[in-house]
Amino acid sequence: MATILIENLTKVYPPTPTYPQQVQALGGVSMSVTGNVFVAVLGPSGSGKTTLLNIVAGVEEPTAGAVRVVQDGVPAQVGYVFQEPRLLPWRSVLDNMLYVQNRKSDRSKREAEFYLSMVGLSDVAHLYPAQLSAGMQQRVGIARAFLVNPDVLLMDEPFSHMDALTGRSLRDYLQRIWAHTRKTALFVTHDVGEAVELADRILMLRPGGVVFDDIPVNLPRPRRPDDAAVHAVETEVLRRFDSMEAAVRFGDQRN
Amino acid sequence: MSYATDLPTTSEFGQVPGTPQGSPAEAVHWTRKPWFVNALAVAILLVVWQYLHSVNGRVPSIDEVVSFLGVELGGGSHGGVSRGEFWGPLSISLQRYAIGLAIGIPVGGLLGLLIGGSRRFRSVLNDTVLVLLVLPSVVWAFAASLWFGIGSTAPVVAVVLTAVPFMAVNLSSGIRGLDPGLALMSDAFRVPRLRRATHLLVGGALSNAVTGVRLAFMTSWNSLLIVEWFGTASGVGWRAKHWYDAQRFEGFVAWILLFVVFITLLDWLVLRRLEHRSTRWQQQPTLTFAEGEIA
Amino acid sequence: MAYDTSVTPDAVADLSAREIRRSVMGRWGLRAGVVIGWMAFIGVWYVFSGAVLGTQQLPPPHTVAAEVWQVVTGDGFGTTLWASLFRVIVGCTMALSASIVLGMVIAYSAWWRGLLGILTRFFVSIPTVALAILALILFGASGLGPMLTAALVATPYVMSSVAQGLTRVDRRLIVMSESFGRTRSQIITGVLLPSSVLAVIGGARQAFALAWRITLLTEVFASSDGVGFQIKRSFESYDVRGLLAWTALFIGLMFIFENFVFRQLERRAFGGAHVSLATAESTR
Ligand SMILES: Nc1ncnc2c1ncn2[C@@H]1O[C@H](COP(=O)(O)OP(=O)(O)OP(=O)(O)O)[C@@H](O)[C@H]1O
Ligand SMILES: [Mg+2]
């Protein structure tokens, strides 16, 4: 069983010649997630969502605080869908999949092809990334994250680059496979509807990287974006954002 | 044709790799056929040449040069003055060229890897490599022939010293231009080091490395000729100078033509093909002769 | 709230002070690297001069520095420099003007691109030393040769980088302009020229660097004054000291132009925004 344990995580970027002020991306985030939980991290642009995922993935060092991502006591295998597609432009789609495949076997190629077909891209396996649309590239990124058979799934606004229709059907698909595999998931988004539709729990960030709320979503699955219950939670989430904004604007300006 | 679609979609006057060629049924006007454009270019060059001949008596005419070439290549007698020589000077120069490049390209490549891969190495070595790059090759030619005399050492050293900075600068800028997000992605997926080296580093910097190789070939050929002209008594540069000193300008021009043919064949048959292959994945049209300097 | 998310401002300030120290130290480390690099360069020069080639063959750095001083303070330095600089400026201007016109032509006409492509490839593969000697045959030692050769050699390169700058112009802007019924000339002045200033400045920079090198080389053959001529004279009298001194002066001059003239031009064109990026890049 996978566990993500985050304690008082702080990230401050030092000033640079271009931007001579330090930036606090995360201001003491703490949380723990164990088992088959789908957590959405919801926050406006610049609130440190990407920074949080990068640190959890172990590709960035925190300024302070600690992160542990373990599966049965050993470091967990992470599948990361980045905010941009991040494909090697000089390798074909299929080779990009194989690039991250660490347990090589004679089935590697067939597995890669399977996950490509899952996102509807069987036909373009031999094209270069530049020959795909932005949404198609992002779907390769999603297939790639599943290919490594991750214990923990990290997703950074995976549907923001594609049209609403494709996004909707992929979201649907993600719900179904998640229900099937139930990997521990950390899903970053700025779309309230998306968060409510997918998550068991919504972590709300405000600029400065501070968690100001943590809402459980106890709705039966599969959920539809037009369910009344989903709507009700969305309204509640938005209300809490508004009151946070009011508090930041009119009183508590510290961060 | 609309203005926007008239913009080039070709990669260096050719087809963008990976895109289908226009359908064969589509008729191309004969003035747009490649053979016509090629022939026109050759005709323009010949007319300009003949014009220069007619206004300046020191410029040899086309047929003088052609008949001289025949004698020089065939080893015949130049009007009783001396015998034609071609393969001797050529093989000597090619040897120097090959040895120089065989040393210069790996050394430059190694420097490029260090400078591109590590900020520390970059801070230490970058200025030295830039000074080497800015130095005109005539200075190398002079210095090398003063140091090493008229043997083969000076031309080889000049070739090495010209090739090294071109290789180093191109490779290192290729490595530094790699998207850091890709390294991050590889970290996140725990991609092992060896695969990262072959797919990320080599894949990404290959086209720059090939460009560096191409420029090293082109520029060091020039350096070789300069050293041979000033400081040796053998090789193709020396042979061109021989005819120049004898005031046989048709001989001199004939040798220049040979230089051009040699480097053009090398470029078209080998170097450009390599470059084309290594940039196949790029969809952006490129129109340059690559970033680089000559002389 | 389920978690205590409060951080004291002091704690963050303390933590970030550490990060700042680390990054500043990194930057100083790199500056130290540059100094080490130059010291190594000069050290290797001393070693070669003292132990490998001999001080006669390769004078040590301080001797060359003294020679530079002598050349700069001696008579005729200004005349020599101006002779070369004048040729470079004229050659560079010719190359740049031709390149802007030809660059536009090849950027927007496939036919001319084909024709000029073949012609320029031909010129690019003539070794520059051959061009320099042809200039001597055609123009004698008049000084016209270096100028024209520089222009001729620089043009293909500058032309292609100008054309590349033009083709990088966002096509969507052109499509947009067409959809609003703008004319060809309106598109050229409204979209193409503003977005290709960068390419033209880059082209000027390239033209300048190339023109210097070619002028120098051609002066070696076909001139009786200028920096190239001085370099040849040093060579012919086995004067390595003079050769290296003039070379050092040449490199210094290139450095000055690159850092003062072209940086200033770019600053004008980009209203300062670009410059801070450039410095950020150079301190990294
Ligand atoms: N490498 C960096 N150097 C300096 N500052 C950075 C760096 N990366 C992020 N930041 C800053 O940290 C803050 C948070 O950035 P982050 O990318 O985590 O935001 P985000 O919530 O993912 O935003 P978005 O929704 O727009 O993707 C921003 O203010 C950003 O400017
Ligand atoms: Mg983000």
Side-chain angles (χ1 to χ4, degrees):
Chain A
M1 190 187 291
T3 302
I4 305 174
L5 198 66
I6 296 175
E7 272 169 37
N8 196 28
L9 202 63
T10 302
K11 177 75 188 183
V12 179
Y13 288 105
T16 60
T18 19
Y19 188 68
Q21 258 156 41
Q22 63 186 44
V23 176
Q24 176 185 315
L26 291 175
V29 173
S30 297
M31 68 160 185
S32 83
V33 181
T34 300
N36 318 323
V37 191
F38 196 113
V39 180
V41 179
L42 184 65
S45 187
S47 54
K49 305 184 296 294
T50 301
T51 309
L52 178 66
L53 282 201
N54 280 346
I55 296 176
V56 171
V59 294
E60 223 177 298
E61 288 290 314
T63 310
V67 174
R68 277 162 57 80
V69 186
V70 290
Q71 161 86 9
D72 302 329
V74 295
Q77 170 72 49
V78 179
Y80 196 163
V81 182
F82 298 89
Q83 196 166 358
E84 321 82 48
R86 300 230 169 127
L87 305 173
L88 305 178
W90 44 85
R91 290 281 184 268
S92 71
V93 167
L94 186 62
D95 287 343
N96 261 288
M97 298 284 286
L98 296 176
Y99 176 64
V100 301
Q101 173 75 286
N102 284 345
R103 280 165 303 204
K104 288 268 161 67
S105 73
D106 44 347
R107 290 195 12 249
S108 302
K109 195 166 157 231
R110 247 183 303 141
E111 274 175 33
E113 279 165 348
F114 168 75
Y115 283 104
L116 280 176
S117 72
M118 178 187 92
V119 293
L121 291 178
S122 315
D123 295 345
V124 300
H126 294 287
L127 295 188
Y128 288 112
Q131 293 168 307
L132 309 185
S133 73
M136 289 159 97
Q137 292 182 22
Q138 192 66 4
R139 272 139 71 192
V140 178
I142 296 171
R144 177 176 64 185
F146 276 100
L147 176 66
V148 297
N149 189 23
D151 308 313
V152 171
L153 259 180
L154 306 174
M155 286 173 278
D156 196 348
E157 308 188 13
F159 306 130
S160 61
H161 280 286
M162 54 192 83
D163 62 296
L165 296 176
T166 312
R168 205 171 91 134
S169 68
L170 278 178
R171 209 154 46 225
D172 221 50
Y173 201 93
L174 181 63
Q175 262 201 73
R176 274 187 286 134
I177 58 182
W178 188 79
H180 184 66
T181 58
R182 301 187 72 81
K183 311 278 188 198
T184 310
L186 215 52
F187 181 94
V188 158
T189 179
H190 53 229
D191 183 320
V192 179
E194 197 170 275
V196 178
E197 189 185 330
L198 294 171
D200 298 313
R201 180 176 157 192
I202 301 177
L203 218 58
M204 287 161 59
L205 281 181
R206 66 170 166 83
V210 177
V211 177
F212 72 91
D213 216 334
D214 187 350
I215 306 172
V217 184
N218 298 314
L219 298 176
R221 293 170 189 274
R223 303 170 187 162
R224 311 275 324 156
D226 38 12
D227 286 348
V230 168
H231 257 299
V233 181
E234 274 181 43
T235 316
E236 173 62 14
V237 168
L238 284 172
R239 196 191 57 73
R240 294 198 192 190
F241 253 108
D242 288 344
S243 57
M244 177 276 293
E245 286 221 307
V248 168
R249 202 170 300 144
F250 299 117
D252 176 21
Q253 296 223 339
R254 140 195 86 100
N255 89 53
Chain B
M1 195 186 256
S2 123
Y3 195 29
T5 53
D6 209 21
L7 282 170
T9 54
T10 51
S11 122
E12 171 122 30
F13 316 117
Q15 194 73 20
V16 172
T19 59
Q21 303 270 340
S23 65
E26 198 179 306
V28 181
H29 194 254
W30 61 271
T31 55
R32 289 182 174 270
K33 291 253 165 78
W35 66 261
F36 174 76
V37 178
N38 282 318
L40 186 64
V42 173
I44 288 172
L45 288 173
L46 292 180
V47 167
V48 170
W49 182 352
Q50 204 57 40
Y51 171 77
L52 286 177
H53 170 68
S54 68
V55 296
N56 187 329
R58 302 177 78 190
V59 178
S61 71
I62 297 172
D63 48 310
E64 279 171 340
V65 170
V66 169
S67 62
F68 181 94
L69 259 184
V71 176
E72 188 83 337
L73 285 173
S77 166
H78 288 292
V81 183
S82 70
R83 292 190 64 78
E85 267 183 53
F86 175 69
W87 301 107
L90 185 68
S91 72
I92 290 176
S93 293
L94 283 184
Q95 263 175 38
R96 293 169 177 163
Y97 191 50
I99 295 173
L101 288 172
I103 301 170
I105 287 178
V107 170
L110 190 66
L111 269 180
L113 277 178
L114 292 178
I115 295 176
S118 141
R119 303 211 305 183
R120 269 166 226 279
F121 274 112
R122 182 177 147 72
S123 70
V124 173
L125 290 173
N126 196 44
D127 285 350
T128 304
V129 171
L130 285 185
V131 167
L132 289 186
L133 187 73
V134 170
L135 264 182
S137 42
V138 63
V139 172
W140 282 134
F142 285 170
S145 37
L146 286 176
W147 293 337
F148 304 111
I150 61 164
S152 274
T153 315
V156 168
V157 168
V159 169
V160 171
L161 290 176
T162 316
V164 163
F166 274 98
M167 198 59 208
V169 166
N170 272 285
L171 186 57
S172 70
S173 79
I175 294 174
R176 270 157 34 83
L178 289 178
D179 176 6
L182 293 177
L184 209 103
M185 181 271 287
S186 311
D187 284 344
F189 284 103
R190 315 277 184 270
V191 175
R193 212 167 261 203
L194 181 66
R195 198 184 319 148
R196 200 185 290 215
T198 55
H199 290 249
L200 187 61
L201 210 64
V202 173
L206 184 64
S207 65
N208 298 77
V210 171
T211 302
V213 168
R214 193 168 77 77
L215 288 173
F217 267 82
M218 306 283 283
T219 50
S220 52
W221 177 243
N222 195 49
S223 297
L224 178 74
L225 295 181
I226 297 178
V227 182
E228 288 186 342
W229 178 280
F230 282 105
T232 63
S234 56
V236 292
W238 164 79
R239 191 69 180 163
K241 187 186 189 222
H242 170 77
W243 293 116
Y244 177 82
D245 286 345
Q247 297 279 310
R248 295 282 298 265
F249 292 135
E250 75 276 21
F252 168 71
V253 172
W255 273 99
I256 291 185
L257 272 186
L258 290 174
F259 299 159
V260 172
V261 167
F262 169 74
I263 203 75
T264 306
L265 283 182
L266 187 67
D267 196 32
W268 277 8
L269 295 183
V270 185
L271 301 173
R272 288 223 184 239
R273 282 184 190 201
L274 275 180
E275 197 166 50
H276 207 262
R277 286 201 127 187
S278 67
T279 53
R280 213 169 14 187
W281 51 274
Q282 286 171 348
Q283 288 293 293
Q284 272 188 341
T286 50
L287 245 167
T288 45
F289 300 94
E291 189 174 324
E293 297 172 31
I294 47 174
Chain C
M1 269 195 212
Y3 298 93
D4 178 18
T5 56
S6 58
V7 249
T8 64
D10 289 352
V12 172
D14 194 41
L15 295 168
S16 58
R18 212 179 57 206
E19 294 236 342
I20 292 169
R21 250 197 325 273
R22 204 184 298 158
S23 88
V24 168
M25 266 162 59
R27 224 171 290 156
W28 277 106
L30 294 185
R31 288 203 187 128
V34 174
V35 174
I36 292 171
W38 278 102
M39 277 166 36
F41 181 77
I42 291 170
V44 168
W45 186 345
Y46 269 113
V47 169
F48 265 78
S49 150
V52 183
L53 294 163
T55 51
Q56 203 55 44
Q57 296 275 27
L58 177 62
H62 61 265
T63 320
V64 174
E67 178 74 15
V68 167
W69 180 248
Q70 229 163 32
V71 167
V72 172
T73 51
D75 338 315
F77 174 65
T79 336
T80 302
L81 197 63
W82 176 244
S84 294
L85 195 59
F86 176 72
R87 288 170 193 145
V88 169
I89 291 173
V90 175
C92 190
T93 313
M94 291 196 294
L96 192 61
S97 345
S99 302
I100 292 175
V101 175
L102 293 175
M104 283 195 176
V105 169
I106 62 171
Y108 300 110
S109 153
W111 191 83
W112 281 101
R113 187 160 59 247
L115 182 65
L116 287 171
I118 295 163
L119 289 176
T120 47
R121 270 189 192 172
F122 174 78
F123 275 110
V124 165
S125 43
I126 303 178
T128 45
V129 52
L131 282 176
I133 300 161
L134 281 178
L136 176 61
I137 295 179
L138 283 172
F139 304 105
S142 70
L144 192 63
M147 220 145 70
L148 289 175
T149 316
L152 192 66
V153 171
T155 302
Y157 290 89
V158 183
M159 174 185 84
S160 75
S161 68
V162 169
Q164 200 183 30
L166 287 172
T167 53
R168 291 269 163 86
V169 170
D170 194 342
R171 274 158 204 249
R172 284 167 302 184
L173 288 179
I174 296 177
V175 174
M176 181 274 285
S177 312
E178 279 184 337
S179 74
F180 282 105
R182 299 297 90 182
T183 63
R184 229 182 152 107
S185 62
Q186 275 174 318
I187 295 178
I188 288 177
T189 55
V191 179
L192 296 180
L193 288 184
S195 30
S196 54
V197 179
L198 179 66
V200 172
I201 291 180
R205 189 177 232 156
Q206 210 180 354
F208 185 78
L210 278 169
W212 253 118
R213 296 161 73 89
I214 309 300
T215 303
L216 202 78
L217 180 67
T218 316
E219 280 175 348
V220 166
F221 293 95
S223 178
S224 49
D225 55 358
V227 178
F229 173 74
Q230 297 294 345
I231 286 182
K232 179 173 84 164
R233 223 175 51 169
S234 308
F235 170 68
E236 283 176 341
S237 50
Y238 298 100
D239 174 15
V240 187
R241 218 154 42 132
L243 179 70
L244 293 180
W246 279 103
T247 305
L249 278 169
F250 168 77
I251 291 176
L253 212 64
M254 296 285 284
F255 176 81
I256 289 171
F257 265 88
E258 182 63 24
N259 278 289
F260 295 98
V261 179
F262 289 112
R263 281 272 162 84
Q264 289 297 326
L265 271 179
E266 270 182 352
R267 193 175 307 210
R268 287 270 163 81
F270 292 97
H274 186 71
V275 176
S276 54
L277 274 181
T279 41
E281 177 63 25
S282 63
T283 48
R284 250 144 225 256

